[in-house]
Amino acid sequence: MNAAVAPVVVPLLTALLCVGLQARRTRWTVSLAGGGLSVLASLWLVALAHGHGVVVLRVGSWPAPYGIVFAADLLGALMSAIGSWVALWTLVALAAQPHPRLDAFFHAGWHLMLAGMNGAFLTGDLFNLYVFFEVLLVTSYFLVTLGATRRQAREAFTYVAVNIVASTILLMGVALLYAAVGSVNMADLAARIPQASPGLVRPAVFLLAVAFGVKAAVFPLYAWLPHTYAIPAGPVAAYFGGMLTKVGVYALYRLFTTLQPLHGPEPWLLAVAGLTMVLGVLGALAQEDMRRILSFHIVSQIGYMVFGLGLGTPQAWAAGIFYTLHNIAAKTALLLVSSAVEASYGTTSLRSLAGLAHAHPWLGVWFVVAALSLAGIPPLSGFWAKLLVVQAGLEAGEFAGVAVALAVSLVTLLSMLKIFTGAFWGPPPERSHISPLEHASVVGLAALTVAWGVGGGTLLELATAAARALGDPAGYVRAVLGGH
Amino acid sequence: MNALLAALVGLLFAAGTWLLLGQRILRQVIGLGLISHGANLMVLLAGGLGGRHAPLLANPTPRADPLPQALILTAIVIGFGITAFLLALGYRMHALEEDEP
């Protein structure tokens, strides 16, 4: 099998197996093994893309741009690796949840969504990007509504409607681009957009940016997110909160590097990024619930990733990629803590929780590690992530943006302290059991932010190489189109 | 022909948006359906219309572009699946409404 599709095919087959298998224990074994295999497949792809550049698969051996291609560059491979890692550990957390009746569907949904995400990260075809977006969105609709109550079903309907409209906008963007250039192959588009009529390309890029912006939940398109992420079961929310919006961020990176490369700071992207940071964090301040606070912080931190993109230099993109990878790990760890608390105490409201640090000291430790990392305290990965973004901002002379980023990270720290004093401090509660599987799931991700904090050099090297590849669209075009 | 289809796309979007902003679930589902069909027509327009020969090597140029039709077919199937899901979700909301007083 070609490495470029392995991270799509493995979860797809696992999902099918999970529906077919009747015995619960066998299903769990297959599902976890499938998750582990996806991680290995995507790490293999990272190694290949790092060593040899873009890994290309021409489906059916049709020459590009006529056939469908998968083109895994280092950014796509890295995103697929972290996505598979998150899927695996949120799956471990799911094992601790009491859903025996819906079990098979949860497993299938988990792996199908991973297949959709990895497909979106690795495809070299804009229309296939739309299709893989649909695969992961349809699965997400399904996971949000599984076992829903009436209120949840109503919230889920809004989520589905918003995403259908966004997908339609995405399709229109693809159509306009096809009208302008006559291709949906990304490498072909990258090569031919400069000669196309800007009257068609500009609205097309705008439509694509809006569609990806909705998925990434940037200002002013984020209103759907905090409500949706309050609905589903804890591990589902952790999976969504960690990965779903980052697929949108990835698509924005692809759009503004490979397809329509930025050269230097792009004021409107930077403005969007700043407003996303500020409004997300302000929204979090008003909340009194662990999960809702964390949901608003997802929005706020998307701002940093878009800030890195908007600065428009490979060095800033490297910072943005580092930030994205760090944030996925830290954020998922925090949401998994919230999920464990909810499973044992039935709530994540800061008013009803207290003294968790007494009852579950280790859970408190994991929380503090991930929370400090999110706020950007050394020596955790969040510190390097913010340092890199700030450094890139200073070098580009975007002092206002840097000031906003620093102020927002102070408020983030405040928010994390609020959760800590609200839920972990105070008189010990009536002790409830927290399963070792939930501890394991949190550690699986918190360990990453510690490792990337202490040994951030490796990740920085990978992020820099990925950004360098993004800064060289001609290399991508050569790799995909080959001898043309 | 192009202008006519463009106007039709606009009409579909307008009607779809109007229905989507209503209160009732069924109208919203139909509205979403109209919007996605508007986008499908737009893909068709993107390929260029009219006065072309079938895309076979034996035929003289200009030949029609078969790709938009393949794209639309995919989009229609996705839209169909999502509409079915939305209807099921709407029904479920209705059923839950009766269960939970």
Side-chain angles (χ1 to χ4, degrees):
Chain A
M1 184 169 21
N2 187 300
V5 278
V8 184
V9 173
V10 171
L12 212 54
L13 291 178
T14 316
L16 289 177
L17 275 177
C18 287
V19 181
L21 290 171
Q22 294 296 321
R24 188 153 187 266
R25 189 166 284 275
T26 331
R27 195 190 299 131
W28 267 108
T29 318
V30 168
S31 180
L32 286 177
L37 265 181
S38 308
V39 171
L40 291 180
S42 49
L43 285 178
W44 177 39
L45 191 55
V46 169
L48 282 179
H50 190 37
H52 310 284
V54 187
V55 181
V56 182
L57 168 70
R58 297 180 183 84
V59 178
S61 294
W62 287 90
Y66 304 109
I68 289 170
V69 294
F70 278 79
D73 66 351
L74 191 51
L75 174 63
L78 280 173
M79 292 301 289
S80 125
I82 186 82
S84 309
W85 186 258
V86 165
L88 176 64
W89 290 103
T90 45
L91 203 55
V92 170
L94 186 71
Q97 297 267 322
H99 283 296
R101 202 167 55 83
L102 300 171
D103 212 56
F105 300 111
F106 270 114
H107 283 290
W110 232 259
H111 292 286
L112 275 179
M113 200 166 114
L114 180 60
M117 287 190 313
N118 284 349
F121 293 144
L122 303 176
T123 184
D125 183 293
L126 196 58
F127 189 75
N128 276 29
L129 183 72
Y130 160 77
V131 173
F132 279 118
F133 257 117
E134 288 303 304
V135 170
L136 80 92
L137 284 172
V138 170
T139 324
S140 80
Y141 305 156
F142 165 73
L143 285 175
V144 162
T145 48
L146 209 52
T149 64
R150 176 180 149 196
R151 189 182 63 84
Q152 292 173 329
R154 197 167 286 277
E155 296 271 13
F157 192 89
T158 316
Y159 169 68
V160 177
V162 166
N163 273 294
I164 291 177
V165 173
S167 296
T168 311
I169 294 175
L170 172 52
L171 184 60
M172 286 157 57
V174 177
L176 276 187
L177 216 48
Y178 184 74
V181 185
S183 180
V184 286
N185 179 300
M186 290 206 256
D188 202 24
L189 285 171
R192 285 161 57 184
I193 279 180
Q195 290 100 49
S197 124
L200 274 174
V201 170
R202 242 182 257 134
V205 169
F206 176 74
L207 286 176
L208 291 177
V210 168
F212 296 149
V214 173
K215 321 274 181 194
V218 298
F219 171 84
L221 309 164
Y222 66 85
W224 60 271
L225 186 139
H227 298 292
T228 311
Y229 285 9
I231 320 168
V236 178
Y239 191 13
F240 283 20
M243 281 313 296
L244 217 50
T245 46
K246 279 64 174 190
V247 188
V249 172
Y250 162 81
L252 282 175
Y253 267 77
R254 185 60 75 207
L255 177 64
F256 288 113
T257 59
T258 310
L259 293 180
Q260 183 80 315
L262 298 177
H263 304 284
E266 179 66 46
W268 69 267
L269 259 180
L270 293 175
V272 163
L275 284 165
T276 310
M277 287 182 215
V278 171
L279 291 172
V281 94
L282 289 182
L285 278 184
Q287 304 300 317
E288 291 291 338
D289 180 288
M290 203 162 154
R291 202 202 271 197
R292 282 186 181 267
I293 292 179
L294 293 174
S295 298
F296 273 100
H297 275 292
I298 297 176
V299 176
S300 166
Q301 277 128 23
I302 296 288
Y304 287 85
M305 304 168 200
V306 177
F307 186 67
L309 173 64
L311 289 174
T313 60
Q315 187 215 355
W317 297 336
I321 294 167
F322 190 103
Y323 194 96
T324 308
L325 294 170
H326 135 76
N327 187 250
I328 290 171
K331 174 63 64 180
T332 314
L334 286 172
L335 285 165
L336 282 171
V337 171
S338 142
S339 153
V341 170
E342 192 176 13
S344 302
Y345 292 90
T347 177
T348 51
S349 162
L350 295 182
R351 291 209 182 87
S352 353
L353 291 169
L356 289 176
H358 286 278
H360 313 282
W362 282 113
L363 196 69
V365 172
W366 315 143
F367 177 82
V368 168
V369 166
L372 291 184
S373 179
L374 197 73
I377 305 291
L380 298 155
S381 61
F383 171 70
W384 302 114
K386 285 204 171 137
L387 185 69
L388 289 167
V389 169
V390 165
Q391 208 178 1
L394 288 179
E395 265 172 45
E398 294 294 332
F399 300 112
V402 169
V404 168
L406 289 175
V408 166
S409 75
L410 264 184
V411 185
T412 307
L413 185 61
L414 210 68
S415 254
M416 293 300 121
L417 282 176
K418 179 174 169 182
I419 298 183
F420 192 75
T421 49
F424 287 87
W425 231 231
E430 204 170 310
R431 198 168 187 288
S432 180
H433 180 67
I434 286 188
S435 133
L437 286 174
E438 315 221 45
H439 280 285
S441 69
V442 180
V443 172
L445 287 148
L448 275 189
T449 105
V450 177
W452 290 340
V454 182
T458 325
L459 187 67
L460 181 60
E461 191 204 316
L462 281 172
T464 310
R468 209 179 312 120
L470 288 182
D472 174 30
Y476 182 86
V477 172
R478 259 197 318 279
V480 175
L481 298 186
H484 286 260
Chain B
M1 190 66 186
N2 273 349
L4 192 67
L5 261 188
L8 186 57
V9 172
L11 189 69
L12 280 172
F13 274 115
T17 308
W18 184 65
L19 285 172
L20 187 58
L21 294 177
Q23 286 291 319
R24 304 182 58 171
I25 298 287
L26 196 58
R27 292 171 70 113
Q28 294 176 349
V29 174
I30 295 171
L32 287 170
L34 289 184
I35 288 180
S36 56
H37 283 305
N40 290 345
L41 270 184
M42 197 165 147
V43 179
L44 193 66
L45 261 175
L49 287 175
R52 317 272 182 100
H53 298 279
L56 298 170
L57 279 180
N59 284 354
T61 52
R63 303 188 193 104
D65 183 353
L67 190 67
Q69 292 159 36
L71 302 187
I72 292 169
L73 190 60
T74 314
I76 287 177
V77 172
I78 293 173
F80 172 75
I82 290 179
T83 308
F85 176 83
L86 274 178
L87 287 172
L89 184 61
Y91 176 73
R92 183 91 190 113
M93 282 160 70
H94 178 70
L96 285 171
E97 221 146 306
E98 285 171 353
D99 287 352
E100 296 171 23

